[in-house]
Amino acid sequence: MKRKISIIGSTGSIGTQTLEVIEKLHDDFEIISLAGGKNVDLLNKQIAKFKPKSVCISEKSENLNPCGAKVLYGDEGLEEICSNKENDIIVVAVSGKIGLRPTLKAIENGIDIALANKETLVMAGDIVMKRAKNAGVKILPVDSEHSAIFQCIHGESEKVDRLIITASGGPFLHKSIEEIKNATVEQALAHPRWNMGRKITVDSATLMNKGLEIIEAHHLFDMDYDRINVVIHPQSYVHSAIEYKDGSILAQIGVPSMHLPIQYAICYPERPQGIKSRSFSFADAQKFEFLKPDFEKFPCPALAYEAGRTGGSATTCMNAANEEAVYAFLEGKITLYDIYTTVEKIYRQHNVVKNPNIDEIFEIDNEIRAKTRELFK
Ligand code: NDP
Ligand code: MG
């Protein structure tokens, strides 16, 4: 039987690559709904090709050609898609804070989730994971590091002692602090290994992406922060590793491509050939470097460790301030390094709420965003 699937954020980097995987595995999947933001032209092409039953865009547009599909709008539309129990799995591939509500809706309706949107877990990981567990819903990681860890753990989490998350180091790995401080938007968006959306690409340049991933790993694998390490691996062949209690280390290795982690998440526990990327050749990989991360030059991951260990609303605050600072950088209002100083400043002023409920999380998120934006006026 075909697996029924919907994608929210289908017009983005992860969304389009998910559709490439599904195209290859067309006998195994039926698309129920697609949701994009503003890119109506691309959504029209996807609708014509994949014939979903419903589609969602952020705002009404005369240019949308739904080809008979039901048309939905905005956040409510995303939530309606995620409430449709016809779905076996939903890919949450929107960027930023928009991912949280649809994810909660899917959980409420008992639908498994292939989660690309890491911000969801940084905002409200305790609540999301608890609700998913109670509902028997699987949260399958799409992020390549977490997919690597998930593949290595293979159901034996109680025997794992440590997670080793790899990081490419981003475009400024070997640059000086001065060069980082003067980096242009264009330089920050030129990631050496991955072609991704703008928000995550900037996060990769500041290494906040790794900070968010540490928190994401803590929630997905229920692992103490002391047992999550980061290592720089510029070639991005080793997607991450785990160490078992007996000292044995397992890593997941391959040519850098998001197709594999996406495919693994939506096909789990099967492993079809699908859109297999070219095989990795150990003999041809000329370099296989591992370096200690420099948290002085890139302070964001250290702040993320601190926020993670503090828990409660600390990571909600860090995430909101970071997202607003990233948009301000992209709009040319602040420098790349200001992203860190902004997040740190807002974070230090925040009175952490210990066990926030979901309404408090949304409230805190809004407050922090408003406060952060004030700084850029
Ligand atoms: P993109 O910016 O490429 O895509 C974001 C998607 O969300 C687009 O389809 C966009 O629509 C849609 N969107 C934006 N705003 C809204 C809105 N208000 N309502 C509905 N849809 C909206 O991001 P990525 O694909 O790069 O990243 C998505 C998530 O996956 C992020 O959380 C990121 O951290 C994570 N991730 C991404 C990786 C990658 O390789 N790209 C790797 C690991 C994780 P439109 O373009 O039509 O406006
Ligand atoms: Mg990643």
Side-chain angles (χ1 to χ4, degrees), residues 262-280:
I262 292 168
Q263 182 170 296
Y264 191 74
I266 65 174
C267 296
Y268 180 82
E270 304 301 326
R271 222 185 232 289
Q273 179 175 335
I275 195 165
K276 184 175 180 226
S277 53
R278 104 195 120 80
S279 286
F280 171 72

Side-chain angles (χ1 to χ4, degrees), residues 8-17 35-40 42-43 56-58 74-75 78 92-96 98 115-120 142-145 194-201 203 209 212-213 216 258:
I8 65 164
S10 66
T11 49
S13 160
I14 293 291
T16 50
Q17 293 181 88
K38 296 204 168 80
N39 192 343
V40 176
L42 180 56
L43 190 61
C56 180
I57 45 172
S58 5
D75 295 349
L78 298 181
V92 178
V94 287
S95 165
I98 323 156
L115 187 67
N117 181 262
K118 59 193 87 184
E119 292 91 344
T120 286
V142 168
D143 211 346
S144 60
E145 295 77 0
W194 303 97
N195 194 356
M196 312 175 286
R198 287 157 69 89
K199 155 85 179 19
I200 184 177
T201 305
D203 282 341
N209 183 49
L212 303 178
E213 290 184 353
E216 183 186 12
M258 284 311 293

Side-chain angles (χ1 to χ4, degrees), residues 24 52 68 82 88 105 149 224 264 268 286 307 311 326 341 367 370:
K24 197 83 191 178
C82 294
D88 295 311
K105 266 288 170 231
I149 291 167
D224 288 347
Y264 191 74
Y268 180 82
Q286 295 176 348
V326 169
T341 47
E367 262 169 42

